[in-house]
């Protein structure tokens, strides 16, 4: 990908295409670690990460919270006509993406253009803006990592979309989903994401969980069958999250979603899109979630952000924590990366970060942090005793009986007999502190 693409107006004036200048540079508008052409573990950083910009946080979210309205004044949101406004927003988005050098973007249907008041008006709006997006993608080389439908903001979805107890809402969700799939396919989207939105419940007292899960699975089958019939070859991803907005989200965490996919025969078409702050809300680390998904062959994509240790919200901050990221990148490299997805910055600026250039600082920081973490993880894997130590912890399973155990060739009686012969196990240290020191040494 090459040159910067602006519309009639340049929105991020004075900011050139962001270049890699190395860690000695004091230029806040330069990468210190993310050299997209640097080869690490056999691939360039650009190929490893496939970074994506999230349309909703970066070009739509103006910073409103329960205590006050938005604080950000977006010059691309000035026009009242939804068509003209959507075009301006798309000009700003592609200018930003080409300046930051992100090869991909992600959207919800009504991030691209405001929602109208009927299905036919919405189809018209999406036709219009996806025609324009196709032009912009062609001119810039930026590609669509995934599309999705916003099936949670409109009040009609207050009781859920696919899991709504009212069939007419489920049908409405289906119509919207069809349009979002059409838009994704038209724009050569590589994947399609289902985040649960309000698919969950506030109280079991008014909820038939079995019916709701059956309905959700039915809708996912219909979506998959429709998209395949339209030639969509990409992956479907489910994005786990344990809570927020509902008290209990059905797609709680990776393990829960894997069980759901198996139960409802969706496992061949769906993988997972894991998000850091969702993992921590579920009382897991992101690296735990990545490992669980990878064990099932389902580590599809990642939403990059971070939470806050002092509260329990989905704060969606930009990722900067190198220790956390390095541990994630260890798993990332060990399991062979993502399957079809990329790293999408599902992260938002703080409410009081109100300058347009803050969007650059945030993404530069996130891309640099991932790059530094991946380079560190690769050094740990190739130069330190980390991998050997981890493998050696399980070396006893290479013994004759250990192998028989793994192959299912021992009965419980034989296992008991072997234990009698082996005697009491010796204590073997897990050496956690030693390994933690290795991470800090290589950072
Ligand atoms: C919400 C969230 C969503 C999904 C897409 O927490 O992460 O933005 O990524 O719907
Ligand atoms: Co997300």
């Amino acid at each position: 990908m090459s040159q910067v693409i602006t519309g009639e107006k340049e929105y991020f004036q004075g900011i050139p295409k962001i270049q890699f200048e190395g860690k000695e540079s004091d230029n806040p508008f330069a990468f210190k670690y993310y050299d997209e052409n640097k080869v690490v573990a056999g691939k360039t950083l650009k190929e490893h990460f496939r970074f994506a910009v999230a349309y909703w946080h970066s070009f739509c979210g103006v910073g409103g919270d329960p205590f006050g309205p938005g604080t950000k004044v977006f010059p691309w949101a000035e026009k009242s006509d939804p068509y003209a406004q959507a075009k301006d927003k798309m000009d700003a988005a592609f200018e930003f993406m080409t300046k930051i050098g992100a090869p991909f973007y992600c959207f919800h249907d009504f991030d691209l253009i405001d929602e109208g008041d009927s299905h036919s008006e919405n189809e018209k709006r999406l036709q219009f803006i996806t025609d324009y997006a196709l032009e912009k993608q062609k001119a810039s080389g930026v590609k669509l990592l995934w599309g999705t439908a916003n099936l949670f903001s409109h009040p009609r979805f207050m009781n859920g979309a696919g899991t709504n107890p009212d069939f007419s809402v489920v049908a409405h969700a289906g119509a919207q989903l069809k349009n979002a799939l059409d838009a994704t396919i038209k724009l050569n989207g590589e994947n399609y994401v289902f985040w649960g939105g309000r698919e969950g419940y506030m109280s079991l007292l008014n909820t038939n969980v079995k019916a709701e899960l059956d309905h959700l699975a039915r809708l996912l089958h219909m979506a998959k069958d429709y998209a395949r019939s339209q030639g969509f070859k990409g992956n479907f991803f489910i994005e786990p999250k344990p809570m927020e907005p509902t008290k209990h989200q059905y797609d709680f965490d990776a393990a829960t979603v894997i069980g759901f996919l198996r139960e409802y025969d969706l496992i061949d078409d769906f993988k997972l899109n894991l998000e850091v702050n969702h993992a921590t809300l579920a009382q897991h680390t992101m690296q735990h979630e990545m490992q669980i998904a990878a064990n099932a062959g389902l580590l599809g994509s990642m939403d990059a952000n971070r939470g806050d240790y002092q509260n329990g919200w989905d704060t969606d901050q930009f990722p900067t924590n190198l220790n956390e990221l390095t541990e994630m990148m260890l798993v990332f490299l060990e399991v062979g990366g993502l399957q079809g997805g990329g790293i999408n910055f599902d992260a938002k600026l703080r409410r009081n970060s109100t300058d347009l250039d803050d969007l650059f600082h945030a993404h530069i920081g996130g891309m640099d942090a991932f790059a530094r973490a991946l380079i560190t993880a690769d050094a740990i894997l190739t130069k330190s005793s980390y991998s050997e130590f981890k493998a050696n912890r399980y070396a006893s399973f290479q013994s004759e009986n250990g192998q028989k155990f793994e192959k299912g060739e021992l009965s419980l009686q034989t296992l008991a007999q072997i234990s009698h012969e082996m005697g009491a196990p010796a204590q073997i240290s897990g050496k956690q502190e030693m390994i933690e020191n290795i991470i800090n040494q290589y950072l």
Side-chain angles (χ1 to χ4, degrees):
M1 199 183 38
S2 44
Q3 86 273 31
V4 167
I5 302 288
T6 59
E8 280 160 28
K9 182 168 162 188
E10 185 172 2
Y11 288 99
F12 302 96
Q13 276 176 21
I15 303 179
K17 183 163 169 46
I18 306 301
Q19 307 288 347
F20 168 71
E21 291 184 7
K23 70 173 183 174
E24 304 309 327
S25 167
D26 284 326
N27 177 3
F29 293 102
F31 294 116
K32 316 298 182 301
Y33 292 90
Y34 181 64
D35 172 2
E36 64 175 23
N37 297 317
K38 183 180 170 72
V39 176
V40 177
K43 278 191 214 170
T44 64
L45 292 183
K46 187 176 171 186
E47 289 163 340
H48 272 295
F49 295 135
R50 293 158 51 87
F51 283 129
V53 173
Y55 221 85
W56 52 104
H57 286 311
S58 293
F59 312 110
C60 307
V62 289
D65 72 11
F67 304 94
T71 51
K72 296 164 214 279
V73 182
F74 288 155
W76 52 84
E78 279 165 9
K79 294 182 186 152
S80 56
D81 172 55
Y83 291 82
Q85 189 191 104
K87 230 174 144 207
D88 284 355
K89 181 158 60 174
M90 190 156 279
D91 283 342
F94 276 83
E95 182 189 329
F96 176 76
M97 295 186 295
T98 51
K99 283 185 169 174
I100 199 76
F104 291 96
Y105 71 117
C106 301
F107 61 71
H108 301 84
D109 43 6
F110 301 129
D111 300 335
L112 295 183
I113 188 159
D114 282 352
E115 183 170 6
D117 53 15
S118 68
H119 285 314
S120 52
E121 172 60 18
N122 285 331
E123 277 168 24
K124 202 174 128 210
R125 288 186 184 195
L126 284 171
Q127 280 295 349
F128 167 83
I129 199 63
T130 49
D131 282 346
Y132 195 50
L134 261 186
E135 275 176 39
K136 287 280 188 181
Q137 287 185 191
K138 210 163 158 226
S140 64
V142 174
K143 295 194 251 173
L144 178 60
L145 186 67
W146 50 259
T148 188
N150 181 332
L151 299 174
F152 45 89
S153 293
H154 194 282
R156 78 171 68 85
F157 296 126
M158 69 179 185
N159 292 310
T163 63
N164 199 294
D166 177 355
F167 174 65
S168 71
V169 179
V170 176
H172 189 104
Q176 197 183 317
L177 175 54
K178 179 184 166 297
N179 289 338
L181 284 165
D182 287 339
T184 302
I185 294 168
K186 175 172 165 183
L187 296 175
N188 301 310
E190 297 193 10
N191 308 281
Y192 186 89
V193 161
F194 292 88
W195 165 58
R198 291 178 201 274
E199 315 293 22
Y201 62 83
M202 306 306 280
S203 170
L204 261 187
L205 296 173
N206 61 9
T207 306
N208 181 342
V209 169
K210 171 86 171 79
E212 293 198 0
L213 285 170
D214 287 351
H215 295 167
L216 179 60
R218 175 65 52 222
L219 192 64
L220 294 176
H221 270 284
M222 291 162 80
K224 170 196 69 129
D225 291 344
Y226 173 71
R228 293 289 183 237
S229 78
Q230 299 302 299
F232 179 65
K233 301 250 177 340
N235 298 290
F236 299 95
F237 294 142
I238 296 206
E239 183 174 327
K241 186 175 185 182
M243 63 191 77
E244 200 202 69
T246 70
K247 171 198 154 58
H248 180 95
Q249 298 277 123
Y250 289 133
D251 299 328
F252 195 93
D253 61 359
T256 310
V257 173
I258 292 167
F260 172 86
L261 294 176
R262 287 216 171 100
E263 183 173 349
Y264 288 100
D265 194 23
L266 290 158
I267 199 108
D268 292 337
D269 293 87
F270 285 74
K271 294 185 170 58
L272 303 188
N273 178 39
L274 299 173
E275 177 163 327
V276 182
N277 207 164
H278 297 178
T280 52
L281 282 176
Q283 311 273 310
H284 299 307
T285 60
M286 180 65 165
Q287 49 274 28
H288 165 90
E289 290 292 82
M290 290 168 72
Q291 187 67 58
I292 295 296
N295 289 353
L298 300 179
L299 179 58
S301 202
M302 270 177 75
D303 273 7
N305 57 27
R306 75 178 204 273
D308 182 296
Y309 289 121
Q310 279 77 49
N311 66 31
W313 308 324
D314 191 15
T315 59
D316 283 348
Q317 287 162 253
F318 273 81
T320 53
N321 186 320
L322 289 170
N323 276 78
E324 260 176 25
L325 286 164
T326 303
E327 290 194 33
M328 283 179 218
M329 291 301 102
L330 281 171
V331 179
F332 183 95
L333 288 173
E334 283 174 312
V335 304
L338 305 171
Q339 298 201 30
I343 293 180
N344 167 47
F345 286 105
D346 193 354
K348 60 182 176 232
L349 298 175
R350 298 305 84 195
R351 188 169 183 265
N352 57 350
S353 296
T354 48
D355 290 342
L356 289 185
D357 69 18
D358 288 324
L359 204 52
F360 282 87
H361 300 306
H363 284 83
I364 289 170
M367 290 158 88
D368 266 346
F370 266 92
R372 190 166 168 190
L374 188 91
I375 293 165
T376 307
D378 179 57
I380 291 170
L381 290 172
T382 55
K383 296 191 184 131
S384 82
S385 57
Y386 168 85
S387 298
E388 201 189 344
F389 175 77
K390 207 164 153 182
N392 278 341
R393 285 193 84 205
Y394 300 87
S396 54
F397 285 89
Q398 298 309 315
S399 66
E400 195 188 335
N401 284 330
Q403 282 292 290
K404 281 188 182 162
F405 172 86
E406 284 195 346
K407 290 179 187 146
E409 291 168 8
L410 299 182
S411 68
L412 191 60
Q413 294 98 310
T414 326
L415 187 65
Q417 183 55 41
I418 290 168
S419 171
H420 281 284
E421 285 158 19
M422 287 178 96
Q427 243 176 11
I428 304 175
S429 171
K431 296 228 142 353
Q432 182 176 327
E433 296 79 2
M434 183 190 82
I435 305 175
E436 286 169 344
N437 291 351
I438 292 177
I439 295 194
N440 279 353
Q441 181 193 342
Y442 279 83
L443 258 172

